[in-house]
Amino acid sequence: MRADFAAVAAQIAEHFRLYNEEFGRITRRAARNFLAEDWHAAQLDAVERIELYEQRVARCVMVVANLLQIRRTDVATWIDIKCAYEALVARRPDSDFYNTFFNSVTRDLFGTVGVNKEVEFCATSVGRASGSVPIRVYRVAGSLPTAVKEILADLPFGAAFGDTEASVHRISAEIGRYFATGRHSGAPESIELIEPVFYRGMQAFVVGRLIGDSAITPLVLAFTNQQKSVRIDAVLLSRADVGSLFGYARSYFHVDLPVVSAAITLLRSFMPRKPVDELYTVLGRAKQGKTERYFALQRHLEKSIDSFVHAPGDRGLVMIVFTLPSHDLVFKVIRDKFGAPKTTTRAEVMERYQFVFRHDRAGRLVDAQEFKRLRLPRGRFMPVLAEELLGEGSESCRVEGDDLIIEHCYIERRLRPLSLFLRESEPAAAEAAIIDYGTALRDLAASNVFPGDLLLKNFGVTSHGRVIFYDYDELCLVSDCVFRDLPRARNEEEEVSAEPWFHCGPRDVFPEQWLPFLCIPSALSEVFIRQHGCLLTAAWWRAQAALAPEAVAALTAQSSTSQSSNAA
C-alpha cells in the first residue's frame, strides 16, 4: 500500500517537472523572438505559457484519479500521499512550486472549499529561498564607461547594437548624473546584474543594482530592437520606477531563472516594499503568486480585527466590490443581475477578465486574479455588505456555518478611485492625475484596448500617482469599434430632439460626446483638452484602430476556454 502512495506522489511531482520544463522552453524562446522582432510569436508564447499550468493540472488529475480509483477522494489515503510527496520534493529548488501544484491537484479532485489542511500544504517558505541567482559583477574601478561597455558586450544580443558607443554614453551619463546629484559621492564601486535577461513584449531588460557608498541602488536597462538594431530605451534608477516596472499593472516577464525564490530575495533588496506575491506573479509564476497572496491574506486576518466593508467609490452595476480597510486588496463579486443600462452577461464579463489575463496590460490594466471557493469568516463582514452579497450575489455567495463562502471572485490591489482622488487632492496632484488619465487612454489604445466605460470612477490612482484602469465589463478592442464623427443636425427639429435622429450601430462610438459625461471638474477639463484634446476626436481613434497590430487580433482569436486556477 505504501508503495502506492509513493507512486502517486511521484506521478504528481513528475507532472510538475514536465510543466516546469515546458514553461522554461517557452520562456527561453523570448530571446529568439526579441532578436527576430517576432512580436506575433512573443504574444502567442505569452498566452501559451499562461494556459500551460491548468492543462498540466488537468492531465495530472486524470492520471491520479485513474491510479486511485475509488480512493481518489479518500482523505486518509491522501494524508499518506502528502507525506510521501513532501519527503520527495522537500530539497528541490523552488519546492513551494511543487507544493502549490499538489494543492491544485487535490483541490480539483476534492472540490475543496477554502483550504483542507489534511490534504494541502498550508504554508510557504517565503523568505527562506534555497539556491542562488546567476550574477555578473562589474568593477567600475574609476571608469564607468568601461564597465558599461563590458556589460553590453556580455549581453546575448550584444552584437546587434546599432550604435554601441551612443548606448554606452547614455547609460554612463544617466548613472553618473544620478550619483552626482544624489546623496552619493562619485561613481558606484560595482555593478551587479542578474545574468538572465528579462523579456516582455517588445523590450528586453537587464536587471541589477549599483553598489556604492555602502548603499544599494536599483538599476534596470531597457532595450528595444527595431530593424535589426538594438538600442537603449531607458535607464531606470529610482525604486519607484523599478517598482512600477515590476508592478501589478504589467504583463509577465519571460526570464529563465534557475531558482525563482532566490531571485525574489535579491529583487526585494532594492524593492523591499514590493509584496512577494506580486513578484512571483510578474515573473510569470501566477499560480504561486495567488498562493502567496492567499496565505498573506489569511495571516492578516489572524492578526487584524476590522471588518470587510464596501470599497470606496461609486457602487458598480456589475460588481459588488469590498475591501478590508487594514489591507491593500479589493474583492470583486459579479452581481446576479445587472442594472440598466448594462446589457452584458455574466459570461461576457468573465471573458473580458480572461482577455486581460492574457493580453499586454501596457502598465495600465490591474492584474485581477480569479479565485474560486474562497472561505472567509462571516463575522468579519459588515451586515449591509453581507446582505448585499447574499442577496445580489447569491450565484457566487452563500453561508456555511460561521463562514461566508465565495464560489467565484476577483482579487486586485486596492487603488484610490480617480473620481475621489481628484476631489481630495491638491491642485498640482489633481492636474497630474488628469493628464495621466489621458496618457493611460493613449497607452491602452496603443495595445489595441478600448476601456468602453471611460468614467473616472473606473480608473484608480496608485501610491505613485499612476492612473490604472480596473473595470473590465465593457472593455473591448479598439479595432472592433467604429469611431464616428457626430453627425450635424440638418434642421431645428433634429437639433432639439431628445433621441438620436441618426442611425447608431452597436459598435459605434462618438468621442465628441465624452467630455460632458466624464464629469471632469471645469479647471481640470481645460487641462485635459489642452493635453489630450485629440482623444475627443474620432479621427485619432480611427488612426489607432488602423495601427492595431494584427498579432493582437490573432491573440484574441485564440482559444480561451481554460479557466484561471483555483485559490491557493
Side-chain angles (χ1 to χ4, degrees), residues 91-106:
R91 300 182 66 84
R92 297 188 185 185
D94 286 323
S95 60
D96 282 344
F97 292 1
Y98 282 88
N99 294 346
T100 293
F101 189 84
F102 183 94
N103 291 354
S104 297
V105 171
T106 64

Side-chain angles (χ1 to χ4, degrees), residues 324-360:
L324 198 65
S326 62
H327 204 25
D328 62 353
L329 301 177
V330 292
F331 302 73
K332 301 172 75 170
V333 173
I334 302 175
R335 296 182 184 275
D336 298 340
K337 297 179 181 178
F338 307 151
K342 299 290 185 180
T343 58
T344 189
T345 66
R346 180 187 184 90
E348 289 171 341
V349 171
M350 294 175 69
E351 285 173 6
R352 285 169 182 142
Y353 275 79
Q354 286 291 312
F355 168 80
V356 171
F357 186 54
R358 291 165 169 78
H359 192 75
D360 176 13

Side-chain angles (χ1 to χ4, degrees), residues 140-180:
V140 173
S143 177
L144 182 58
T146 299
V148 171
K149 186 175 292 187
E150 291 176 6
I151 290 170
L152 300 188
D154 286 343
L155 293 176
F157 45 81
F161 275 94
D163 189 340
T164 302
E165 290 302 321
S167 296
V168 169
H169 176 76
R170 178 178 174 186
I171 295 168
S172 302
E174 295 201 28
I175 293 175
R177 191 179 305 116
Y178 177 85
F179 271 76

